[in-house]
Amino acid sequence: MNIEQSLQQDISKAFNEVFQANLSPGEISLQPTRKEFEGSHTFVCFPYARLSKKNPEETGRTVGEYLKQHSEIVADFNVVKGFLNIVLSDSTWVSVFNSILNAENYGTFPANGKEVMIEYSSPNTNKPLHLGHLRNNFLGWSVAEILKANGNKVHKVQIINDRGIHICKSMVAWLKYGNGETPETADKKGDKLVGDYYVKFDQEYKKQIAGLTAKGMVQEQAEKEAPIMKEAQEMLLKWEQKEPETYALWQKMNGWVYTGFDVTYHQMGVDFDKLYYESETYLLGKDEVLKGVERGIFFKKEDGSVWVDLTAEGLDQKLLLRADGTSVYMTQDIGTAILRFRDFPEIAKQIYTVGNEQEYHFKVLFIILDKLGYEWAKECYHLSYGMVDLPTGRMKSREGTVVDADDLMQEMIDTAREHTEELGKIEGFTVEQAADLYETLGVGALKYFLLKVDPKKRMLFDPNESIQFQGNTGPFIQYTHARISAILRKAGQLGISSANEEIAGFDSLHPIEKNVIYLLNDYTGKVKEAGTNYSPDIIAQYVYDLAKEYNRFYQEVSIFNEEDQQALKFRIAFSKVVAETINKAMGLLGISVPERM
């Protein structure tokens, strides 16, 4: 049952019959009624006074009287300064609930025939994943699931930045200072081990710069002449020439990193349909750039470097190939984009989940692809998000002060254990069940906190706040689901069915029940809105509102003391639908909800 459409049709009839004014249902806008007034839907009369030839308040009263007399779904109304607040009948809300109860795959739209690709994670293989990667992965994965729920076929991909000077820095440091160390001998995840050598390179590089400047060399020259940096640059050239020893070392160290990444991704709960590697796409990018030079799209400078001039677009000149012929990030991104559209020619949109510090980069990338003649360049979109800060400040990977993703997830799991044990919520759990619950709560708290904020906003992550069982947190919503699951188990023990059977012979609702049904009815709209805006925070706010309102119901309405059997049956079915909707919404965020706590 579509309440909005029914109200729009009835209001249209009111204007046609009472005011003899032609107003189509599609021209009528409704909004949610403010909480301090009775009603669920509000018709703002000001824009329509020209048709009624009455002031907004009189228009509202006249339309309200018409609806009360002629509409099958309206029970009452009130007008506040030209705002017509519409009160629906209890039987209407029960009908709405029944339609949700019996809907197949409620909240999921049918296939629309569109294919979408979304890129997220896209790490460098010189260091482990960190807090910024957590927001990136959770955001990209969640948007992918939301787009699926909207009927799209979605391809989840990442580009692994497995080549370049940053990789060579770790390789040089390992050769010079590693003494053959491996993840096994160090008893350390491979990505962390390689990251240690990236930090080691930076430490030694700074020492060498300091030594050169102490001898009178200017800072800028010292940065270029530092022996360890020259070694890294020489190694990059050897790698591009596929010198066997260099290539074998690169494969070995990257292999360590991939094994480490897989462990982290598993705990994050994210996955990918296809992996792309910069080492495999940059050559295609180079070819495209050189073809662009031949076609006059790009130009060479005297030193042999290749550039694109974007001054006509209000930007500047952008380097595409260095003087020594090596590639830059832009080169490989050109190749990757082209390869993806070759692999998946039916995709209607390609979405890049990358931090907002790269907004200029993607603006340039899309313009370059358009200049190269690729029509689909107009369908590329940068899903930009803000940086995540901690109370301790910004992270710097070269200095080894990054907030490691594995460490943060473990810290959240440990904190969940402490909070849960303090509150005594694990009575009757085995050791394994308790461990699963701690991970569900800890990782869920982390995901929810990072996803509840508008992606565009820079945010401060507070681990302690995120794990609380009260307020706008993941554990609060998870606990609400566990509470409802306990109600359903008790109903089963009492022989009260929670099967999806239409509720009949009951149409006397508590006001809070109407509020909850209103929210349930709004779920598909929120899924659509979140998909249109690529915004999981819309789903996060929705599921929090639903959990909060259900908890109000739980506090104010007795379920098992209800003597009316139809009312009791309704409240059990009502609770079941709320739990199912919480489960679906949290699932779109990648968060599990426990049955017991």
Side-chain angles (χ1 to χ4, degrees):
M1 180 180 187
N2 192 313
I3 294 174
E4 286 73 19
Q5 284 185 6
S6 296
L7 286 175
Q8 286 168 333
Q9 289 169 358
D10 289 343
I11 293 170
S12 172
K13 289 178 184 175
F15 271 83
N16 293 337
E17 294 178 19
V18 178
F19 304 124
Q20 285 76 52
N22 188 18
L23 180 63
S24 68
E27 297 175 89
I28 295 166
S29 178
L30 297 168
Q31 61 186 40
T33 301
R34 289 169 58 177
K35 292 189 183 300
E36 60 264 37
F37 302 116
E38 187 183 8
S40 58
H41 296 76
T42 295
F43 175 59
V44 183
C45 300
F46 296 92
Y48 307 96
R50 59 182 177 78
L51 294 175
S52 66
K53 304 294 192 295
K54 295 179 180 291
N55 67 45
E57 193 152 353
E58 287 180 84
T59 302
R61 277 198 300 271
T62 305
V63 172
E65 290 291 351
Y66 178 92
L67 294 177
K68 191 174 179 179
Q69 292 177 30
H70 298 89
S71 174
E72 295 181 357
I73 66 173
V74 176
D76 206 350
F77 71 94
N78 61 85
V79 179
V80 181
K81 296 181 180 178
F83 293 85
L84 170 60
N85 302 316
I86 301 168
V87 180
L88 302 182
S89 67
D90 285 6
S91 60
T92 297
W93 287 118
V94 172
S95 295
V96 169
F97 175 76
N98 279 326
S99 68
I100 296 169
L101 181 68
N102 295 307
E104 192 173 346
N105 299 319
Y106 183 65
T108 302
F109 292 83
N112 59 23
K114 292 182 180 177
E115 289 188 37
V116 178
M117 179 174 284
I118 181 160
E119 172 195 294
Y120 53 91
S121 194
S122 305
N124 296 328
T125 56
N126 64 322
K127 53 192 174 184
L129 303 173
H130 54 66
L131 175 56
H133 286 115
L134 289 173
R135 189 178 199 190
N136 180 299
N137 277 270
F138 296 156
L139 175 60
W141 190 92
S142 180
V143 169
E145 294 303 304
I146 290 167
L147 291 173
K148 281 184 190 176
N150 276 276
N152 299 283
K153 182 177 181 180
V154 179
H155 305 284
K156 296 181 284 187
V157 302
Q158 66 168 323
I159 175 71
I160 299 173
N161 300 301
D162 62 343
R163 61 163 293 281
I165 192 69
H166 52 291
I167 311 297
C168 292
K169 289 177 181 179
S170 292
M171 291 164 64
V172 165
W174 184 83
L175 282 176
K176 293 176 75 69
Y177 311 108
N179 298 313
E181 187 177 38
T182 68
E184 290 73 27
T185 61
D187 192 25
K188 188 176 284 190
K189 282 179 74 220
D191 52 336
K192 296 186 191 300
L193 182 67
V194 172
D196 287 346
Y197 285 101
Y198 184 61
V199 173
K200 179 67 174 174
F201 178 95
D202 191 61
Q203 291 169 345
E204 295 301 320
Y205 179 45
K206 285 178 177 175
K207 286 180 189 176
Q208 292 183 6
I209 292 170
L212 292 171
T213 54
K215 293 177 181 178
M217 189 179 289
V218 296
Q219 177 79 16
E220 188 176 348
Q221 186 66 20
E223 290 172 1
K224 293 177 181 176
E225 295 298 328
I228 197 169
M229 179 58 78
K230 285 191 169 184
E231 288 180 63
Q233 291 167 341
E234 288 166 11
M235 183 170 279
L236 178 59
L237 285 170
K238 286 181 182 178
W239 181 87
E240 292 214 356
Q241 293 158 5
K242 291 204 172 181
E243 190 272 320
E245 194 173 321
T246 301
Y247 209 78
L249 175 61
W250 170 78
Q251 288 178 313
K252 177 167 70 175
M253 293 183 71
N254 273 350
W256 295 344
V257 173
Y258 298 146
T259 302
F261 282 171
D262 287 344
V263 173
T264 308
Y265 287 140
H266 178 73
Q267 186 157 53
M268 282 185 191
V270 302
D271 60 343
F272 305 92
D273 300 315
K274 187 173 176 63
L275 306 181
Y276 288 89
Y277 298 88
E278 183 182 351
S279 58
E280 297 172 359
T281 64
Y282 84 102
L283 290 174
L284 175 57
K286 284 180 73 171
D287 288 344
E288 285 290 325
V289 168
L290 293 173
K291 287 177 187 175
V293 173
E294 292 174 8
R295 293 165 56 191
I297 300 170
F298 311 133
F299 68 95
K300 275 190 178 182
K301 289 191 176 181
E302 289 182 4
D303 63 358
S305 59
V306 177
W307 298 70
V308 60
D309 186 358
L310 300 177
T311 51
E313 285 80 11
L315 304 175
D316 55 8
Q317 294 184 347
K318 179 71 179 176
L319 176 68
L320 299 179
L321 285 176
R322 298 186 186 95
D324 61 6
T326 55
S327 304
V328 294
Y329 272 122
M330 188 63 71
T331 322
Q332 69 94 2
D333 276 349
I334 291 168
T336 304
I338 294 168
L339 184 58
R340 285 173 178 168
F341 275 90
R342 287 180 185 173
D343 289 346
F344 299 92
E346 299 302 316
I347 55 176
K349 185 173 283 291
Q350 184 169 187
I351 301 167
Y352 295 81
T353 311
V354 183
N356 58 15
E357 70 274 10
Q358 294 295 326
E359 284 179 359
Y360 177 79
H361 173 88
F362 283 100
K363 189 173 184 179
V364 171
L365 173 64
F366 302 157
I367 292 173
I368 289 173
L369 291 169
D370 189 43
K371 283 180 176 289
L372 287 169
Y374 293 105
E375 283 294 317
W376 44 258
K378 297 178 177 63
E379 300 305 324
C380 292
Y381 178 78
H382 176 204
L383 176 52
S384 172
Y385 62 90
M387 184 176 291
V388 183
D389 293 315
L390 283 167
T392 51
R394 185 173 175 151
M395 307 173 294
K396 296 179 182 177
S397 57
R398 285 191 303 276
E399 297 172 13
T401 58
V402 165
V403 181
D404 182 275
D406 295 313
D407 293 346
L408 183 55
M409 285 191 286
Q410 188 57 52
E411 180 186 326
M412 293 299 298
I413 293 166
D414 293 341
T415 305
R417 175 179 54 77
E418 293 168 12
H419 276 259
T420 308
E421 288 176 351
E422 283 175 14
L423 294 169
K425 295 184 181 295
I426 55 167
E427 189 177 338
F429 278 61
T430 65
V431 173
E432 292 78 13
Q433 288 171 334
D436 287 343
L437 178 63
Y438 303 147
E439 181 157 351
T440 297
L441 292 174
V443 177
L446 177 61
K447 285 187 180 183
Y448 185 83
F449 204 93
L450 293 180
L451 289 173
K452 74 176 184 177
V453 178
D454 183 333
K456 301 179 190 68
K457 294 181 179 178
R458 187 168 183 156
M459 67 174 294
L460 179 71
F461 174 65
D462 185 334
N464 187 56
E465 181 185 341
S466 73
I467 203 70
Q468 299 301 318
F469 284 90
Q470 293 298 324
N472 189 3
T473 67
F476 168 72
I477 299 164
Q478 290 171 315
Y479 183 62
T480 302
H481 184 272
R483 167 177 275 171
I484 300 174
S485 297
I487 291 169
L488 298 178
R489 284 195 296 274
K490 183 176 179 180
Q493 292 164 3
L494 295 174
I496 305 168
S497 172
S498 60
N500 288 10
E501 298 173 3
E502 187 166 314
I503 304 299
F506 171 73
D507 59 2
S508 180
L509 295 174
H510 190 285
I512 295 177
E513 290 172 328
K514 288 185 264 189
N515 292 346
V516 174
I517 295 172
Y518 177 91
L519 285 169
L520 291 172
N521 187 54
D522 203 28
Y523 179 56
T524 52
K526 293 300 182 185
V527 171
K528 187 173 183 180
E529 184 184 351
T532 300
N533 295 290
Y534 310 121
S535 296
D537 59 295
I538 292 170
I539 299 296
Q541 184 63 50
Y542 167 83
V543 71
Y544 169 62
D545 289 340
L546 179 61
K548 184 172 62 174
E549 203 65 15
Y550 181 86
N551 276 288
R552 281 188 60 214
F553 158 79
Y554 180 82
Q555 297 297 331
E556 296 187 28
V557 179
S558 174
I559 296 177
F560 292 106
N561 289 331
E562 177 60 63
E563 295 180 359
D564 183 326
Q565 289 304 299
Q566 282 302 102
L568 177 59
K569 184 178 178 182
F570 165 78
R571 285 174 184 149
I572 296 303
F574 171 82
S575 299
K576 181 187 178 188
V577 172
V578 171
E580 289 172 345
T581 307
I582 288 174
N583 189 18
K584 288 175 184 176
M586 292 290 268
L588 293 179
L589 304 178
I591 300 172
S592 299
V593 285
E595 298 289 323
R596 291 196 301 147
M597 279 176 68

